[in-house]
Amino acid sequence: MNNSLRRFWSRGAALLLAMIMSIAFLSPVAGRNLSATVDQPVLTLPTLDEVNCAAYCVFDKTADQIIMGKTPHNRVYPASMTKIMTAQLALDYLDTDAYLTVSQNALDNISSDSTIMGVTLGEEFKVSELLYGLMLPSGNDAANVLAEGVVDAMLDNYPADGTEVGPDGVNSQYLVDALGVSEQEIRDSFKLSAFAELMNLRASNIGCTGTHFVNAHGLHSDEHYTTASDLTKIMAKACENPDFCTVISSPTHIFQGTNNHPNDAWSIVRNSNNILSDPWLCATTPEGEDTHITAFVGGKTGTTSIAGTGMTTYSVNENGHELFVAVCGIPSEEYSNQTIYVASVVAYGHLTCWNNDPTSVLPGTTGDYRRSNSTTAELPQYDPLIVPFDTVDADYMPEGYVPPSETLEQEDDLPDTDPDQEGAEVPEEIRSEEPADDAENKSSAEEEDEIDTSTLKGKILASSLGKFVKKNPFISGVAVGLMILILVLLTILIVRIVKNSNKKKRRKARPYSGNISF
């Protein structure tokens, strides 16, 4: 192959490649799909029989009854679900804007393998910051700092020789009697033990019958135990405080600077509760039934090698009932199933709650409350994260939503007519509105369907290329222009190569000069 042909083929191939790339990227030729589907695949939760755990309990606080359970009164180890009690006592005894200082004793009473917030000796923290460090990364160090702060507040505000009593109906004399030491000795050496006594007193006051605590964080002790039913009561009590609900519903928290960490955002923590990010997991049962869960407010996880793993949660049904669910003792070999096991129990619990009282009070479901991992058919229409103590404004309601009571009133106002009855009279206001509604609701998609595809023009317009050109005239024009330019350049190049080739063929042989050397 001579040089002219080589140049011809190389230049031609380059131009052809450029033309193909222009067509491929600027137009949907050959059925190219410009909007590939990468939806979340449909998931199926395990059934209740497939949930492997030591115990679970679903407590309907509104109805004041356990509506579903598996050995709910059997003894289990709570692990870090203990911190639900720690948090509620801290909120009851402390000002969230007050500062607490990290002591050596608080740091010494956690194990080296503890989950931590990351506090340091002498560091000063707002109570509110410690609450986030307690509940999101499940900091055992934060638990001890809060516990010591609660006991100091108890001793300072409700002394043994005074008449005032604290939130649990006692003053410091209760701790003196329980521990058999003086107030000063409690301050010096027994703050964490005193806090455990307050935990047990609170548990008794709210009706727990199978619970005994020995620490503020949940590290294992044979004497530190509870039951699934007691955990739901502890969670229900804690969630009466809106500040507690704010903390457990937070997916992340960014810490403010302190005396030992001078920069803001020195630590960013994430909630260990995975259902909080994807509450739609609880929206349907494995059988596909709508569970009527309206809001998944939050929860607290807990895991140790002996306790296994589990979670206690707070959620709200469409009928307005508040549900508290505790799942305990998922074995270590199934830690990865914590989220789907808990979601399954929550889903079945809400379905049971709805079947007990099928009355719509709060609009929406968590099936609408999706920020990620949605299939196209399940994208949210609005954000229905409502809890019972929220104030619902008229602007919040989704378009077209009518409260059940108003719907009934409107139905009562309609005349008694049978639309299937021949000659039935239709009210004038309804008759006059129907044509207008039909005209307004006609979509552009329906107009596209009316294209006459019997002709060549109609077939082209109905094709994917025709639709693309109609929707993207500028890009289509650029693509056509580039293709025409490429074709013109390619034609010119071919003509020039052909001319040069003909010239070389007409050249005469040069006469021999005899100047060839070997």
Side-chain angles (χ1 to χ4, degrees):
M1 185 182 291
N2 60 38
N3 292 336
S4 297
L5 286 177
R6 288 194 185 96
R7 286 196 297 270
F8 169 77
W9 286 116
S10 62
R11 293 176 182 176
L15 285 171
L16 183 60
L17 178 61
M19 185 170 65
I20 292 172
M21 292 178 66
S22 298
I23 295 172
F25 284 101
L26 294 177
S27 66
V29 174
R32 183 171 180 264
N33 187 358
L34 296 179
S35 56
T37 300
V38 287
D39 288 344
Q40 165 69 53
V42 176
L43 304 179
T44 302
L45 293 179
T47 64
L48 280 180
D49 291 339
E50 295 170 330
V51 174
N52 185 9
C53 66
Y56 64 77
C57 179
V58 179
F59 173 56
D60 184 340
K61 182 181 179 183
T62 307
D64 192 24
Q65 64 178 351
I66 294 174
I67 60 173
M68 206 172 75
K70 171 187 175 181
T71 61
H73 305 298
N74 283 12
R75 180 178 295 187
V76 295
Y77 298 116
S80 286
M81 289 182 280
T82 299
K83 296 180 173 98
I84 302 168
M85 176 65 84
T86 301
Q88 69 169 283
L89 288 173
L91 284 165
D92 286 348
Y93 282 87
L94 299 171
D95 182 345
T96 54
D97 289 330
Y99 281 83
L100 299 179
T101 303
V102 179
S103 71
Q104 188 64 56
N105 185 60
L107 297 177
D108 288 343
N109 279 276
I110 58 173
S111 62
S112 58
D113 60 346
S114 290
T115 52
I116 59 173
M117 171 184 172
V119 304
T120 58
L121 180 64
E123 195 161 10
E124 298 172 358
F125 285 98
K126 271 187 179 181
V127 169
S128 58
E129 294 281 83
L130 289 165
L131 287 167
Y132 280 106
L134 174 77
M135 299 302 286
L136 271 63
S138 199
N140 292 348
D141 48 359
N144 282 348
V145 176
L146 287 168
E148 291 188 339
V150 168
V151 172
D152 280 334
M154 178 72 170
L155 297 174
D156 291 341
N157 299 327
Y158 313 106
D161 57 359
T163 57
E164 289 192 48
V165 296
D168 289 290
V170 299
N171 60 23
S172 298
Q173 187 63 46
Y174 177 83
L175 300 179
V176 170
D177 294 340
L179 297 174
V181 296
S182 67
E183 286 189 45
Q184 189 58 48
E185 287 176 302
I186 292 174
R187 290 184 190 274
D188 294 340
S189 307
F190 296 99
K191 286 182 182 178
L192 296 180
S193 298
F195 183 75
E197 295 296 336
L198 284 178
M199 295 172 77
N200 291 324
L201 177 61
R202 172 63 61 86
S204 176
N205 287 345
I206 62 178
C208 297
T209 57
T211 295
H212 184 259
F213 294 123
V214 298
N215 60 56
H217 39 65
L219 285 176
H220 182 75
S221 167
D222 289 344
E223 297 304 312
H224 189 95
Y225 53 81
T226 186
T227 67
S229 61
D230 281 359
L231 276 173
T232 61
K233 293 177 182 178
I234 294 169
M235 188 67 156
K237 178 63 177 177
C239 288
E240 291 177 3
N241 190 317
D243 288 337
F244 181 84
C245 293
T246 297
V247 173
I248 65 171
S249 66
S250 300
T252 64
H253 184 72
I254 301 173
F255 286 110
Q256 188 178 38
T258 69
N259 56 322
N260 288 3
H261 290 98
N263 297 321
D264 287 343
W266 61 273
S267 179
I268 301 174
V269 294
R270 286 168 173 77
N271 204 311
S272 58
N273 173 7
N274 292 327
I275 299 178
L276 186 65
S277 301
D278 293 295
W280 55 272
L281 286 168
C282 310
T284 55
T285 66
E287 294 78 18
E289 293 184 85
D290 181 2
T291 65
H292 297 272
I293 179 174
T294 291
F296 184 93
V297 181
K300 181 68 189 79
T301 60
T303 306
T304 67
S305 57
I306 298 175
T309 190
M311 191 189 306
T312 303
T313 68
Y314 171 35
S315 50
V316 184
N317 194 268
E318 187 179 337
N319 60 17
H321 288 225
E322 298 175 83
L323 292 192
F324 297 88
V325 178
V327 180
C328 309
I330 299 171
S332 57
E333 63 270 18
E334 295 200 51
Y335 281 178
S336 61
N337 291 329
Q338 180 204 73
T339 298
I340 59 172
Y341 282 171
V342 175
S344 177
V345 177
V346 172
Y348 281 110
H350 274 275
L351 180 59
T352 301
C353 176
W354 173 258
N355 289 336
N356 291 343
D357 182 17
T359 306
S360 182
V361 175
L362 299 174
T365 70
T366 56
D368 296 319
Y369 187 57
R370 300 193 181 194
R371 294 178 179 171
S372 59
N373 291 337
S374 300
T375 63
T376 301
E378 298 168 321
L379 290 173
Q381 295 180 341
Y382 69 102
D383 182 350
L385 187 59
I386 303 175
V387 292
F389 44 77
D390 282 347
T391 300
V392 181
D393 299 325
D395 294 340
Y396 171 83
M397 293 301 183
E399 184 178 355
Y401 174 77
V402 180
S405 58
E406 294 184 19
T407 304
L408 293 175
E409 290 174 4
Q410 292 177 9
E411 290 175 354
D412 290 342
D413 292 338
L414 292 176
D416 295 332
T417 59
D418 184 356
D420 295 328
Q421 182 179 344
E422 185 176 352
E425 183 179 352
V426 181
E428 179 63 30
E429 61 272 15
I430 297 178
R431 251 199 333 266
S432 61
E433 289 176 1
E434 285 177 351
D437 289 343
D438 290 342
E440 292 173 1
N441 292 334
K442 195 168 187 179
S443 65
S444 60
E446 291 173 338
E447 292 174 358
E448 289 180 2
D449 291 340
E450 293 176 0
I451 295 174
D452 182 8
T453 58
S454 62
T455 64
L456 177 60
K457 179 181 178 182
K459 291 179 180 179
I460 294 174
L461 291 176
S463 67
S464 59
L465 178 59
K467 292 178 181 178
F468 180 87
V469 171
K470 184 177 180 181
K471 292 181 180 179
N472 303 275
F474 177 76
I475 294 177
S476 301
V478 172
V480 172
L482 284 174
M483 285 188 285
I484 293 173
L485 177 62
I486 291 170
L487 290 173
V488 170
L489 292 175
L490 184 59
T491 302
I492 294 172
L493 178 62
I494 293 172
V495 170
R496 291 184 62 182
I497 291 173
V498 171
K499 285 183 177 180
N500 290 336
S501 177
N502 291 335
K503 286 180 181 179
K504 289 182 179 180
K505 287 180 180 179
R506 290 195 297 268
R507 287 178 183 173
K508 295 181 179 180
R510 291 175 295 176
Y512 174 66
S513 63
N515 293 326
I516 297 176
S517 59
F518 295 92

